[in-house]
Amino acid sequence: MIAFSRLSGIARSKGDPKVLRTGPSSLGGADRLARGLGWFSIGLGLTELLAPRLITRAVGLRGREGLVRAFGVRELGHGVLSLSVDKQAGLWSRVAGDVLDIVAVLPALSPANRKHGNAELALIMLLGVTVLDVLAAQGVSARHRRPPTGWRSYSDRSGFPQGAERARGAARRDFQTASDTQAPPAIAPGVA
Amino acid sequence: MKALVWHGKEDIRCDQVSDPEIEDPRDAIVKVTSCAICGSDLHLFHNFIPAMLPGDIMGHEMMGEVMEVGSAAKGKLKVGDRIVVPFTIICGECDQCKRGNFSVCERTNRKKELASKVFGHPTAGLFGYTHLTGGYPGGQAEYLRVPFADATHIKVPDSLKDEQVLFLGDIFPTGWQAAVQCDIEPTDTVAIWGCGPVGQMAIRSAVLLGAKQVVAIDCIPERLSMAEAGGAITINFEEESVVGRLNDLTSGKGPEKCIDAIGLEAHVTPTQPDTLLDRAKQMVMLESDRPHVLREMIYVCRTAGTISIPGVYGGLVDKFPMGLAMNKGLTFRMGQTHVNRWTDDLLRRIEEGQIDPSFVITHTVRLEDGPEMYKVFRDKQDSCVKVVLKP
Ligand SMILES: NC(=O)c1ccc[n+]([C@@H]2O[C@H](COP(=O)([O-])OP(=O)(O)OC[C@H]3O[C@@H](n4cnc5c(N)ncnc54)[C@H](O)[C@@H]3O)[C@@H](O)[C@H]2O)c1
Ligand SMILES: [Zn+2]
Ligand SMILES: [Zn+2]
């Protein structure tokens, strides 16, 4: 949307107030972390999609480029979701993705793999990212959660100072419906 | 001065900005005493409405005291007047204004070229909204420049509190127009989707206009309790079938009048699978709005019934059941509210004690707390229904 604004060449008018000093934002720390992780997913997803060999070579999983590409598409999904308003869903999807990543790296840990040292490193990194993702997901969920219980009842707020019963139809007495908001008459002329 | 400023998606900040000044002889400067956060602000907060710029001042529900008046507005306003500012900026002289179609005033949108390209023809200038409607700085601020101030104001008497008259600038006439557009008959069932502030005002308006039954639909218990207090039968769409219950309440024929007080951000829930698809498409920009409620209304509305849409839509909707609407012979009425068309009458109703719109306010805070309150209102935390800010 901001891209649209830039492309369409709109600009603020000259006399409008200008920002002199910026203050505290509606974005909390958890939201910013979600945003960071979202962009990280986009970066990783693009790498997996466009240069899968970089990854298969590093951890010694040659021949699994197709899988890495598929993971790249999945990672882009996590990214888009984590950058959206529904970032809780995005971060929890990242956690699920971490589990899949870990499962995919496990075969590379076999001593038969020449790069198993790299694979071990990758596993440690993945475990670290998983912990970060779980903490971030819990953080945004807590920040934006609507507690399911403890809501206040507003059953005393009718908005009608003279009572809800007296309000029924009270405006019918003196309200004239203009012709442009009239509904078609109930019975067509000449039919009754 | 201090103001709530849009910096991007979910990023509203309370910034220090330069003070507004008179730019045109028809302008006035108002010292804002109360302003509110509206459901429309949430669409901007989520960046679903195109053509916002970082640095835009938010807010279109505000009132205050006139501090300065341009030479051409002097006959109509004077320093010290207490006014509510309607969110639609109006000239009062063009063909549309003369017909009372104020929200499509032909003169006040200062970004006419952009608006014509996107909309075909420009609509009125609006405060604190997209540059498609002029990009005028809004009123969640200490001071506000009111363009075309000789026409764009509602004078209010000192005998009424800010809280009683503030909503004359937007949600009260919006709920009222939504109901009036239904041309309610005493035999009608009016179904209202959404029990946010606009839905609450629409419920009260439909009751005042004498509907036989008013049915309100939402899933938030505190909002449903407020709807019931106003005289509505309530449906929690997470607990029961909306279509089934509405048909039961109308001998199987469906409500004659349906009001969409939700707009482009219908809840996304697995129990309504179309909303998941809409959300996915919205995320990858294949669709801009989520029209679940429109689909449901068109489906359940009585044949030859009326659908009234105060809820805001921003652009394109998919899977819109035009065939059903056409074959059932439905009437559609919609639009941004023609605020000043209704406000004299509504102010009188407040003065006479027929209604007191302050019932909807659940939170009153300082302007500095505004950014946090955007989050609370959006997440529906702390039983929040309507936030009033005091600059
Ligand atoms: N036409 C105008 O001039 C005008 C003026 C003011 C506001 N609006 C628009 O009116 C709409 C409502 O504003 P608000 O301030 O009441 O906002 P809000 O966000 O507080 O209220 C929306 C309500 O709809 C409910 N909802 C969401 N999906 C639903 C579904 N599928 N079924 C039933 N209920 C559902 C939500 O739980 C919420 O309570 C917004 O789109 C806003 O932009 C239009
Ligand atoms: Zn509004
Ligand atoms: Zn006009």
Side-chain angles (χ1 to χ4, degrees), chain B residues 79-97:
Chain B
V79 171
D81 279 349
R82 184 164 174 247
I83 62 169
V84 172
V85 183
F87 79 92
T88 42
I89 304 171
I90 59 175
C91 76
E93 298 147 357
C94 70
D95 285 348
Q96 294 293 1
C97 280

Side-chain angles (χ1 to χ4, degrees), chain B residues 37-43 60-61 87-88 103 129 170-171 174 177 192-200 217-220 223 235 237 242 260-269 272 275 292-293 296 309-313 334-339 377 380 384-386:
Chain B
I37 306 179
C38 176
S40 303
D41 291 329
L42 293 183
H43 304 321
H60 60 265
E61 278 188 291
F87 79 92
T88 42
S103 75
Y129 210 58
D170 182 359
I171 56 168
T174 295
Q177 180 174 310
I192 299 171
W193 276 255
C195 298
V198 170
Q200 299 292 343
I217 304 148
D218 207 304
C219 63
I220 315 275
R223 293 181 177 212
I235 301 179
F237 70 84
V242 175
D260 170 358
I262 295 168
L264 65 98
E265 294 191 70
H267 268 291
V268 180
T269 149
Q272 299 166 339
T275 60
H292 169 79
V293 173
E296 198 162 79
I309 311 173
V312 162
Y313 287 85
M334 60 193 95
Q336 300 281 0
T337 306
H338 307 307
V339 178
F377 176 48
K380 306 185 170 66
C384 181
V385 181
K386 187 76 180 175

Side-chain angles (χ1 to χ4, degrees), chain B residues 68-294:
Chain B
E68 217 182 315
V69 185
S71 56
K74 282 220 162 89
K76 298 280 172 62
L77 272 184
K78 59 179 192 312
V79 171
D81 279 349
R82 184 164 174 247
I83 62 169
V84 172
V85 183
F87 79 92
T88 42
I89 304 171
I90 59 175
C91 76
E93 298 147 357
C94 70
D95 285 348
Q96 294 293 1
C97 280
K98 278 191 206 139
R99 304 176 65 135
N101 293 336
F102 294 116
S103 75
V104 288
C105 168
E106 294 168 338
R107 294 210 188 138
T108 54
N109 189 338
R110 58 181 178 175
K111 305 270 165 79
K112 281 202 185 68
E113 237 170 83
L114 175 70
S116 302
K117 266 193 209 134
V118 178
F119 289 153
H121 303 285
T123 57
L126 306 180
F127 289 103
Y129 210 58
T130 145
H131 286 260
L132 292 173
T133 54
Y136 288 98
Q140 287 166 6
E142 287 178 286
Y143 297 93
L144 173 74
R145 178 177 77 94
V146 181
F148 298 88
D150 52 325
T152 307
H153 68 262
I154 303 148
K155 277 192 200 158
V156 288
D158 288 336
S159 55
L160 296 170
K161 289 192 302 236
D162 274 21
E163 286 70 15
Q164 290 175 286
V165 289
L166 172 62
F167 303 133
L168 280 172
D170 182 359
I171 56 168
F172 185 20
T174 295
W176 181 258
Q177 180 174 310
V180 166
Q181 285 178 156
C182 290
D183 192 12
I184 295 171
E185 311 258 351
T187 48
D188 281 348
T189 295
V190 180
I192 299 171
W193 276 255
C195 298
V198 170
Q200 299 292 343
M201 296 298 162
I203 291 167
R204 271 69 180 176
S205 302
V207 165
L208 286 171
L209 289 165
K212 184 175 107 195
Q213 304 187 93
V214 178
V215 189
I217 304 148
D218 207 304
C219 63
I220 315 275
E222 59 269 26
R223 293 181 177 212
L224 288 169
S225 76
M226 194 183 264
E228 208 171 334
I233 299 165
T234 57
I235 301 179
N236 183 332
F237 70 84
E238 283 187 337
E239 289 170 2
E240 53 184 327
S241 152
V242 175
V243 172
R245 183 79 193 289
L246 283 174
N247 281 332
D248 285 349
L249 287 165
T250 52
S251 319
K253 291 187 163 190
E256 286 90 345
K257 311 289 159 72
C258 296
I259 296 177
D260 170 358
I262 295 168
L264 65 98
E265 294 191 70
H267 268 291
V268 180
T269 149
T271 54
Q272 299 166 339
D274 60 321
T275 60
L276 294 177
L277 186 62
D278 283 330
R279 185 68 189 104
K281 283 189 186 166
Q282 202 178 29
M283 241 174 248
V284 291
M285 293 197 232
L286 287 175
E287 172 181 45
S288 58
D289 304 9
R290 305 200 293 265
H292 169 79
V293 173
L294 290 177

Side-chain angles (χ1 to χ4, degrees), chain A residues 1-2 4-6 8 10-27 31-32 35 80-81 83-88 142-148 150-162 164 167-175 177-186, chain B residues 7 9-18 23 45-48 50-57 110-111 114 131 135 137 176 180-181 183-184 186 204 207-210 220-222 225-226 229-231 279 283 333 341 345 348-349 352-356 359 361-363 371-372 375 378-383 385:
Chain A
M1 288 294 176
I2 293 188
F4 169 85
S5 310
R6 299 237 160 92
S8 58
I10 52 173
R12 220 182 324 282
S13 298
K14 258 212 285 357
D16 293 348
K18 286 168 198 63
V19 175
L20 305 172
R21 204 162 359 98
T22 189
S25 161
S26 50
L27 281 175
D31 302 320
R32 288 180 200 279
R35 213 161 260 198
V80 170
L81 205 54
L83 290 171
S84 81
V85 172
D86 300 304
K87 46 193 167 302
Q88 291 98 305
R143 180 166 161 78
H144 298 289
R145 200 171 68 104
R146 209 186 94 77
W151 53 275
R152 288 196 289 280
S153 168
Y154 295 127
S155 55
D156 55 344
R157 293 181 176 227
S158 77
F160 299 123
Q162 296 158 3
R168 286 204 180 268
R172 280 201 89 73
R173 284 195 296 273
D174 57 3
F175 183 72
T177 306
S179 59
D180 66 341
T181 57
Q182 272 164 12
Chain B
H7 284 270
K9 185 160 55 133
E10 296 183 281
D11 189 0
I12 304 274
R13 301 182 202 163
C14 183
D15 290 346
Q16 194 71 35
V17 304
S18 53
E23 291 173 29
F45 188 53
H46 291 160
N47 203 17
F48 281 137
M52 289 292 288
L53 284 180
D56 287 343
I57 299 180
R110 58 181 178 175
K111 305 270 165 79
L114 175 70
H131 286 260
W176 181 258
V180 166
Q181 285 178 156
D183 192 12
I184 295 171
R204 271 69 180 176
V207 165
L208 286 171
L209 289 165
I220 315 275
E222 59 269 26
S225 76
M226 194 183 264
R279 185 68 189 104
M283 241 174 248
R333 294 212 166 97
R341 180 167 180 178
D345 183 42
R348 176 180 60 82
R349 294 181 194 282
E352 286 176 1
Q354 219 173 66
I355 184 166
D356 180 352
F359 75 90
I361 303 171
T362 53
H363 291 69
E372 184 64 13
K375 182 200 79 115
R378 191 274 308 274
D379 293 333
K380 306 185 170 66
Q381 292 171 330
D382 196 30
S383 300
V385 181

Side-chain angles (χ1 to χ4, degrees), chain A residues 14-146:
Chain A
K14 258 212 285 357
D16 293 348
K18 286 168 198 63
V19 175
L20 305 172
R21 204 162 359 98
T22 189
S25 161
S26 50
L27 281 175
D31 302 320
R32 288 180 200 279
L33 181 58
R35 213 161 260 198
L37 291 169
W39 282 116
F40 178 75
S41 276
I42 299 280
L44 180 61
L46 285 177
T47 315
E48 288 178 329
L49 192 64
L50 302 177
R53 213 154 286 154
L54 221 65
I55 291 162
T56 52
R57 228 182 270 155
V59 291
L61 280 176
R62 263 181 221 222
R64 310 298 305 269
E65 284 77 16
L67 181 73
V68 171
R69 278 217 178 87
F71 275 24
V73 173
R74 193 205 71 207
E75 199 67 47
L76 287 176
H78 300 319
V80 170
L81 205 54
S82 304
L83 290 171
S84 81
V85 172
D86 300 304
K87 46 193 167 302
Q88 291 98 305
L91 292 180
W92 286 115
S93 81
R94 272 184 57 92
V95 173
D98 293 337
V99 175
L100 289 180
D101 285 343
I102 289 170
V103 172
V105 170
L106 289 180
L109 296 175
S110 130
N113 178 4
R114 272 195 304 126
K115 298 270 178 70
H116 82 264
N118 283 1
E120 272 163 24
L121 206 64
L123 182 66
I124 293 171
M125 270 162 54
L126 279 172
L127 289 172
V129 170
T130 308
V131 171
L132 182 64
D133 280 337
V134 169
L135 291 177
Q138 282 174 338
V140 267
S141 299
R143 180 166 161 78
H144 298 289
R145 200 171 68 104
R146 209 186 94 77

